[in-house]
Amino acid sequence: MARVALVTGGTRGIGAAISGALKAAGYTVAANYAGNDDAAAAFTAETGIPAYKWSVADYDACVAGIAQVVAAHGPVAVLVNNAGITRDAMFHKMTPGQWKEVIDTNLTGLFNMTHPCWTSMRDAKFGRVINISSINGQKGQAGQANYSAAKSGDLGFTKALAAEGARAGITVNAICPGYIGTEMVRAIDEKVLNERIIPQIPVGRLGEPDEIARIAVFLASDDAGFITGSTISANGGQFVV
């Protein structure tokens, strides 16, 4: 039986690419999304991957949503924590609400999703947890104190949980994308992209969602069984750790 993979934020952008790549690699894939019903319906119609709606910021909703996926497809063997939001503002203008929204989704969301899956992974003596962090969690970014803090926290979560999961056959790794050519990034003013963003990327271009997806497929595979607690940077050389 094919292993079940659950991808949060899995119907758009990088998440959609990961969902599609995992399906192509032979996994039974379920995609979570939070709000865009039209995009989710179009994604399912195009890929045949079922989409399930809940907010990763709500622990009880995650428990219920994961239970729905398990009932339909079986225990989750591969969890890709990709869901994320931005609420950008310079710190002196940032509101407590903007801080909390981003932390609740981008950091606490990892706990909310991983915790309900952890016991079944331990029982199965197999699991793959793949956390999508960000270049801005590694280097910081002005106007993103909330986002950078959450994405940096994702890396600490990854390392600590990797230490706990290793003897149970569970690997936990993080991917830190740089600027990827998603709908959101390509919506940036062309002049800003060409004059301020792309010149900072040594390879001279945006990354593609499929390039991040291929990393996720590898980390989900048996071939990656000796890799855990790692952070893989995919940023075209923009920030070298």
Side-chain angles (χ1 to χ4, degrees):
M1 180 179 293
R3 287 172 176 159
V4 176
L6 173 57
V7 183
T8 68
T11 64
R12 300 173 66 193
I14 291 173
I18 293 172
S19 295
L22 286 168
K23 181 181 179 182
Y27 294 86
T28 297
V29 181
N32 150 271
Y33 74 103
N36 193 322
D37 295 325
D38 291 341
F43 168 82
T44 298
E46 179 181 349
T47 65
I49 296 171
Y52 298 84
K53 184 178 182 179
W54 72 83
S55 169
V56 301
D58 182 332
Y59 182 82
D60 290 339
C62 290
V63 170
I66 291 167
Q68 188 179 4
V69 170
V70 170
H73 307 290
V76 175
V78 177
L79 174 64
V80 182
N81 287 310
N82 168 74
I85 62 171
T86 56
R87 298 290 184 268
D88 296 350
M90 297 303 288
F91 189 66
H92 65 285
K93 295 183 177 180
M94 186 173 288
T95 66
Q98 289 172 319
W99 174 271
K100 187 175 187 302
E101 278 188 79
V102 171
I103 297 297
D104 285 354
T105 296
N106 297 9
L107 178 56
T108 306
L110 272 64
F111 174 87
N112 292 345
M113 286 299 303
T114 309
H115 192 257
C117 295
W118 194 249
T119 297
S120 65
M121 289 181 176
R122 283 172 52 87
D123 290 345
K125 299 298 183 186
F126 179 89
R128 296 285 188 265
V129 179
I130 302 165
N131 300 317
I132 309 301
S133 180
S134 168
I135 184 176
N136 291 340
Q138 296 175 299
K139 72 176 184 62
Q141 177 63 41
Q144 287 194 327
N146 48 5
Y147 185 85
S148 295
K151 291 299 187 178
S152 180
D154 292 348
L155 301 181
F157 176 85
T158 296
K159 294 172 185 178
L161 204 59
E164 292 192 28
R167 291 191 179 275
I170 306 169
T171 66
V172 187
N173 293 290
I175 304 171
C176 285
Y179 281 92
I180 306 301
T182 60
E183 180 182 343
M184 180 178 69
V185 170
R186 293 193 184 279
I188 295 172
D189 181 85
E190 188 174 353
K191 183 179 176 69
V192 173
L193 268 178
N194 291 333
E195 295 183 8
R196 295 178 55 187
I197 293 176
I198 292 177
Q200 298 178 27
I201 305 172
V203 301
R205 64 173 177 86
L206 300 175
E208 295 296 333
D210 287 346
E211 293 179 296
I212 306 304
R214 288 194 289 271
I215 301 170
V217 170
F218 170 67
L219 290 175
S221 72
D222 289 336
D223 290 340
F226 199 59
I227 300 173
T228 194
S230 294
T231 299
I232 298 179
S233 297
N235 59 43
Q238 185 177 356
F239 182 74
V240 179
V241 179

PDB file of all heavy atoms in Angstrom, residues 174-196:
ATOM      1  N   ALA A 174      14.259  20.284   7.467  1.00  0.00           N
ATOM      2  CA  ALA A 174      13.707  21.566   7.027  1.00  0.00           C
ATOM      3  C   ALA A 174      14.278  21.955   5.673  1.00  0.00           C
ATOM      4  O   ALA A 174      15.435  21.654   5.358  1.00  0.00           O
ATOM      5  CB  ALA A 174      14.011  22.654   8.049  1.00  0.00           C
ATOM      6  N   ILE A 175      13.457  22.626   4.900  1.00  0.00           N
ATOM      7  CA  ILE A 175      13.889  23.233   3.639  1.00  0.00           C
ATOM      8  C   ILE A 175      13.705  24.740   3.774  1.00  0.00           C
ATOM      9  O   ILE A 175      12.657  25.207   4.225  1.00  0.00           O
ATOM     10  CB  ILE A 175      13.062  22.721   2.448  1.00  0.00           C
ATOM     11  CG1 ILE A 175      13.108  21.196   2.364  1.00  0.00           C
ATOM     12  CG2 ILE A 175      13.554  23.344   1.141  1.00  0.00           C
ATOM     13  CD1 ILE A 175      12.143  20.613   1.343  1.00  0.00           C
ATOM     14  N   CYS A 176      14.731  25.489   3.390  1.00  0.00           N
ATOM     15  CA  CYS A 176      14.657  26.947   3.425  1.00  0.00           C
ATOM     16  C   CYS A 176      14.716  27.502   2.005  1.00  0.00           C
ATOM     17  O   CYS A 176      15.804  27.718   1.453  1.00  0.00           O
ATOM     18  CB  CYS A 176      15.800  27.523   4.255  1.00  0.00           C
ATOM     19  SG  CYS A 176      15.608  27.344   6.028  1.00  0.00           S
ATOM     20  N   PRO A 177      13.565  27.713   1.381  1.00  0.00           N
ATOM     21  CA  PRO A 177      13.573  28.313   0.034  1.00  0.00           C
ATOM     22  C   PRO A 177      13.965  29.783   0.091  1.00  0.00           C
ATOM     23  O   PRO A 177      13.717  30.490   1.079  1.00  0.00           O
ATOM     24  CB  PRO A 177      12.116  28.170  -0.424  1.00  0.00           C
ATOM     25  CG  PRO A 177      11.495  27.186   0.522  1.00  0.00           C
ATOM     26  CD  PRO A 177      12.218  27.359   1.809  1.00  0.00           C
ATOM     27  N   GLY A 178      14.576  30.236  -0.998  1.00  0.00           N
ATOM     28  CA  GLY A 178      14.756  31.660  -1.204  1.00  0.00           C
ATOM     29  C   GLY A 178      13.577  32.208  -1.983  1.00  0.00           C
ATOM     30  O   GLY A 178      12.432  31.806  -1.749  1.00  0.00           O
ATOM     31  N   TYR A 179      13.847  33.108  -2.908  1.00  0.00           N
ATOM     32  CA  TYR A 179      12.760  33.670  -3.710  1.00  0.00           C
ATOM     33  C   TYR A 179      12.369  32.673  -4.801  1.00  0.00           C
ATOM     34  O   TYR A 179      13.161  32.374  -5.698  1.00  0.00           O
ATOM     35  CB  TYR A 179      13.179  35.004  -4.326  1.00  0.00           C
ATOM     36  CG  TYR A 179      13.112  36.147  -3.349  1.00  0.00           C
ATOM     37  CD1 TYR A 179      14.226  36.516  -2.597  1.00  0.00           C
ATOM     38  CD2 TYR A 179      11.916  36.841  -3.153  1.00  0.00           C
ATOM     39  CE1 TYR A 179      14.160  37.564  -1.682  1.00  0.00           C
ATOM     40  CE2 TYR A 179      11.838  37.886  -2.244  1.00  0.00           C
ATOM     41  CZ  TYR A 179      12.961  38.242  -1.513  1.00  0.00           C
ATOM     42  OH  TYR A 179      12.877  39.259  -0.604  1.00  0.00           O
ATOM     43  N   ILE A 180      11.154  32.167  -4.700  1.00  0.00           N
ATOM     44  CA  ILE A 180      10.637  31.153  -5.613  1.00  0.00           C
ATOM     45  C   ILE A 180       9.538  31.786  -6.460  1.00  0.00           C
ATOM     46  O   ILE A 180       8.736  32.584  -5.961  1.00  0.00           O
ATOM     47  CB  ILE A 180      10.081  29.944  -4.817  1.00  0.00           C
ATOM     48  CG1 ILE A 180      11.148  29.402  -3.849  1.00  0.00           C
ATOM     49  CG2 ILE A 180       9.611  28.859  -5.782  1.00  0.00           C
ATOM     50  CD1 ILE A 180      12.438  28.932  -4.492  1.00  0.00           C
ATOM     51  N   GLY A 181       9.491  31.384  -7.725  1.00  0.00           N
ATOM     52  CA  GLY A 181       8.560  32.007  -8.664  1.00  0.00           C
ATOM     53  C   GLY A 181       7.126  31.547  -8.509  1.00  0.00           C
ATOM     54  O   GLY A 181       6.528  31.031  -9.463  1.00  0.00           O
ATOM     55  N   THR A 182       6.576  31.755  -7.330  1.00  0.00           N
ATOM     56  CA  THR A 182       5.170  31.461  -7.091  1.00  0.00           C
ATOM     57  C   THR A 182       4.316  32.631  -7.572  1.00  0.00           C
ATOM     58  O   THR A 182       4.814  33.705  -7.922  1.00  0.00           O
ATOM     59  CB  THR A 182       4.909  31.241  -5.596  1.00  0.00           C
ATOM     60  OG1 THR A 182       5.271  32.433  -4.877  1.00  0.00           O
ATOM     61  CG2 THR A 182       5.735  30.076  -5.059  1.00  0.00           C
ATOM     62  N   GLU A 183       3.021  32.421  -7.551  1.00  0.00           N
ATOM     63  CA  GLU A 183       2.087  33.484  -7.937  1.00  0.00           C
ATOM     64  C   GLU A 183       2.313  34.736  -7.095  1.00  0.00           C
ATOM     65  O   GLU A 183       2.277  35.864  -7.604  1.00  0.00           O
ATOM     66  CB  GLU A 183       0.660  32.969  -7.762  1.00  0.00           C
ATOM     67  CG  GLU A 183      -0.432  33.956  -8.112  1.00  0.00           C
ATOM     68  CD  GLU A 183      -1.825  33.392  -7.856  1.00  0.00           C
ATOM     69  OE1 GLU A 183      -1.958  32.150  -7.726  1.00  0.00           O
ATOM     70  OE2 GLU A 183      -2.770  34.183  -7.801  1.00  0.00           O
ATOM     71  N   MET A 184       2.574  34.541  -5.790  1.00  0.00           N
ATOM     72  CA  MET A 184       2.766  35.678  -4.890  1.00  0.00           C
ATOM     73  C   MET A 184       4.019  36.469  -5.258  1.00  0.00           C
ATOM     74  O   MET A 184       3.996  37.704  -5.335  1.00  0.00           O
ATOM     75  CB  MET A 184       2.867  35.189  -3.444  1.00  0.00           C
ATOM     76  CG  MET A 184       3.075  36.294  -2.428  1.00  0.00           C
ATOM     77  SD  MET A 184       3.123  35.666  -0.732  1.00  0.00           S
ATOM     78  CE  MET A 184       4.675  34.768  -0.751  1.00  0.00           C
ATOM     79  N   VAL A 185       5.120  35.768  -5.507  1.00  0.00           N
ATOM     80  CA  VAL A 185       6.370  36.455  -5.823  1.00  0.00           C
ATOM     81  C   VAL A 185       6.298  37.111  -7.197  1.00  0.00           C
ATOM     82  O   VAL A 185       6.757  38.241  -7.392  1.00  0.00           O
ATOM     83  CB  VAL A 185       7.562  35.479  -5.736  1.00  0.00           C
ATOM     84  CG1 VAL A 185       8.828  36.116  -6.298  1.00  0.00           C
ATOM     85  CG2 VAL A 185       7.780  35.050  -4.294  1.00  0.00           C
ATOM     86  N   ARG A 186       5.700  36.425  -8.163  1.00  0.00           N
ATOM     87  CA  ARG A 186       5.623  36.989  -9.507  1.00  0.00           C
ATOM     88  C   ARG A 186       4.664  38.181  -9.583  1.00  0.00           C
ATOM     89  O   ARG A 186       4.660  38.917 -10.572  1.00  0.00           O
ATOM     90  CB  ARG A 186       5.231  35.903 -10.512  1.00  0.00           C
ATOM     91  CG  ARG A 186       6.316  34.839 -10.675  1.00  0.00           C
ATOM     92  CD  ARG A 186       6.092  33.949 -11.874  1.00  0.00           C
ATOM     93  NE  ARG A 186       7.080  32.882 -11.959  1.00  0.00           N
ATOM     94  CZ  ARG A 186       8.302  33.013 -12.441  1.00  0.00           C
ATOM     95  NH1 ARG A 186       8.716  34.203 -12.872  1.00  0.00           N
ATOM     96  NH2 ARG A 186       9.133  31.978 -12.479  1.00  0.00           N
ATOM     97  N   ALA A 187       3.867  38.362  -8.525  1.00  0.00           N
ATOM     98  CA  ALA A 187       2.979  39.525  -8.473  1.00  0.00           C
ATOM     99  C   ALA A 187       3.725  40.792  -8.037  1.00  0.00           C
ATOM    100  O   ALA A 187       3.184  41.899  -8.141  1.00  0.00           O
ATOM    101  CB  ALA A 187       1.811  39.264  -7.532  1.00  0.00           C
ATOM    102  N   ILE A 188       4.957  40.628  -7.558  1.00  0.00           N
ATOM    103  CA  ILE A 188       5.772  41.783  -7.186  1.00  0.00           C
ATOM    104  C   ILE A 188       6.049  42.610  -8.437  1.00  0.00           C
ATOM    105  O   ILE A 188       6.255  42.072  -9.533  1.00  0.00           O
ATOM    106  CB  ILE A 188       7.105  41.324  -6.537  1.00  0.00           C
ATOM    107  CG1 ILE A 188       6.817  40.600  -5.220  1.00  0.00           C
ATOM    108  CG2 ILE A 188       8.032  42.504  -6.291  1.00  0.00           C
ATOM    109  CD1 ILE A 188       8.043  39.946  -4.598  1.00  0.00           C
ATOM    110  N   ASP A 189       6.064  43.922  -8.277  1.00  0.00           N
ATOM    111  CA  ASP A 189       6.336  44.812  -9.402  1.00  0.00           C
ATOM    112  C   ASP A 189       7.578  44.354 -10.163  1.00  0.00           C
ATOM    113  O   ASP A 189       8.620  44.052  -9.581  1.00  0.00           O
ATOM    114  CB  ASP A 189       6.533  46.240  -8.886  1.00  0.00           C
ATOM    115  CG  ASP A 189       6.784  47.230 -10.003  1.00  0.00           C
ATOM    116  OD1 ASP A 189       5.807  47.724 -10.591  1.00  0.00           O
ATOM    117  OD2 ASP A 189       7.968  47.488 -10.288  1.00  0.00           O
ATOM    118  N   GLU A 190       7.465  44.264 -11.484  1.00  0.00           N
ATOM    119  CA  GLU A 190       8.548  43.730 -12.318  1.00  0.00           C
ATOM    120  C   GLU A 190       9.843  44.512 -12.133  1.00  0.00           C
ATOM    121  O   GLU A 190      10.933  43.940 -12.125  1.00  0.00           O
ATOM    122  CB  GLU A 190       8.119  43.741 -13.786  1.00  0.00           C
ATOM    123  CG  GLU A 190       9.102  43.017 -14.709  1.00  0.00           C
ATOM    124  CD  GLU A 190       8.596  42.913 -16.129  1.00  0.00           C
ATOM    125  OE1 GLU A 190       7.427  43.285 -16.368  1.00  0.00           O
ATOM    126  OE2 GLU A 190       9.369  42.457 -16.985  1.00  0.00           O
ATOM    127  N   LYS A 191       9.732  45.813 -11.965  1.00  0.00           N
ATOM    128  CA  LYS A 191      10.918  46.642 -11.769  1.00  0.00           C
ATOM    129  C   LYS A 191      11.615  46.275 -10.463  1.00  0.00           C
ATOM    130  O   LYS A 191      12.856  46.183 -10.409  1.00  0.00           O
ATOM    131  CB  LYS A 191      10.510  48.121 -11.758  1.00  0.00           C
ATOM    132  CG  LYS A 191      11.667  49.102 -11.620  1.00  0.00           C
ATOM    133  CD  LYS A 191      11.157  50.527 -11.653  1.00  0.00           C
ATOM    134  CE  LYS A 191      12.260  51.544 -11.410  1.00  0.00           C
ATOM    135  NZ  LYS A 191      13.211  51.601 -12.531  1.00  0.00           N
ATOM    136  N   VAL A 192      10.835  46.045  -9.411  1.00  0.00           N
ATOM    137  CA  VAL A 192      11.413  45.651  -8.122  1.00  0.00           C
ATOM    138  C   VAL A 192      12.084  44.280  -8.239  1.00  0.00           C
ATOM    139  O   VAL A 192      13.194  44.062  -7.747  1.00  0.00           O
ATOM    140  CB  VAL A 192      10.319  45.624  -7.029  1.00  0.00           C
ATOM    141  CG1 VAL A 192      10.873  45.051  -5.721  1.00  0.00           C
ATOM    142  CG2 VAL A 192       9.769  47.029  -6.800  1.00  0.00           C
ATOM    143  N   LEU A 193      11.401  43.349  -8.914  1.00  0.00           N
ATOM    144  CA  LEU A 193      11.978  42.020  -9.107  1.00  0.00           C
ATOM    145  C   LEU A 193      13.309  42.094  -9.852  1.00  0.00           C
ATOM    146  O   LEU A 193      14.314  41.503  -9.425  1.00  0.00           O
ATOM    147  CB  LEU A 193      11.006  41.134  -9.904  1.00  0.00           C
ATOM    148  CG  LEU A 193      10.012  40.268  -9.140  1.00  0.00           C
ATOM    149  CD1 LEU A 193       9.133  39.519 -10.133  1.00  0.00           C
ATOM    150  CD2 LEU A 193      10.706  39.300  -8.204  1.00  0.00           C
ATOM    151  N   ASN A 194      13.312  42.829 -10.958  1.00  0.00           N
ATOM    152  CA  ASN A 194      14.475  42.837 -11.839  1.00  0.00           C
ATOM    153  C   ASN A 194      15.624  43.688 -11.333  1.00  0.00           C
ATOM    154  O   ASN A 194      16.794  43.426 -11.659  1.00  0.00           O
ATOM    155  CB  ASN A 194      14.074  43.300 -13.239  1.00  0.00           C
ATOM    156  CG  ASN A 194      13.200  42.286 -13.947  1.00  0.00           C
ATOM    157  OD1 ASN A 194      13.273  41.096 -13.682  1.00  0.00           O
ATOM    158  ND2 ASN A 194      12.355  42.762 -14.861  1.00  0.00           N
ATOM    159  N   GLU A 195      15.316  44.711 -10.537  1.00  0.00           N
ATOM    160  CA  GLU A 195      16.365  45.635 -10.121  1.00  0.00           C
ATOM    161  C   GLU A 195      16.799  45.455  -8.669  1.00  0.00           C
ATOM    162  O   GLU A 195      17.931  45.819  -8.318  1.00  0.00           O
ATOM    163  CB  GLU A 195      15.899  47.081 -10.327  1.00  0.00           C
ATOM    164  CG  GLU A 195      15.679  47.437 -11.794  1.00  0.00           C
ATOM    165  CD  GLU A 195      15.281  48.883 -11.995  1.00  0.00           C
ATOM    166  OE1 GLU A 195      15.321  49.659 -11.002  1.00  0.00           O
ATOM    167  OE2 GLU A 195      14.937  49.248 -13.140  1.00  0.00           O
ATOM    168  N   ARG A 196      15.933  44.864  -7.839  1.00  0.00           N
ATOM    169  CA  ARG A 196      16.285  44.780  -6.414  1.00  0.00           C
ATOM    170  C   ARG A 196      16.384  43.355  -5.889  1.00  0.00           C
ATOM    171  O   ARG A 196      17.127  43.107  -4.948  1.00  0.00           O
ATOM    172  CB  ARG A 196      15.251  45.560  -5.591  1.00  0.00           C
ATOM    173  CG  ARG A 196      15.249  47.051  -5.870  1.00  0.00           C
ATOM    174  CD  ARG A 196      14.181  47.769  -5.071  1.00  0.00           C
ATOM    175  NE  ARG A 196      14.296  47.526  -3.643  1.00  0.00           N
ATOM    176  CZ  ARG A 196      13.395  47.944  -2.741  1.00  0.00           C
ATOM    177  NH1 ARG A 196      12.323  48.619  -3.146  1.00  0.00           N
ATOM    178  NH2 ARG A 196      13.571  47.698  -1.461  1.00  0.00           N
TER     179      ARG A 196
END
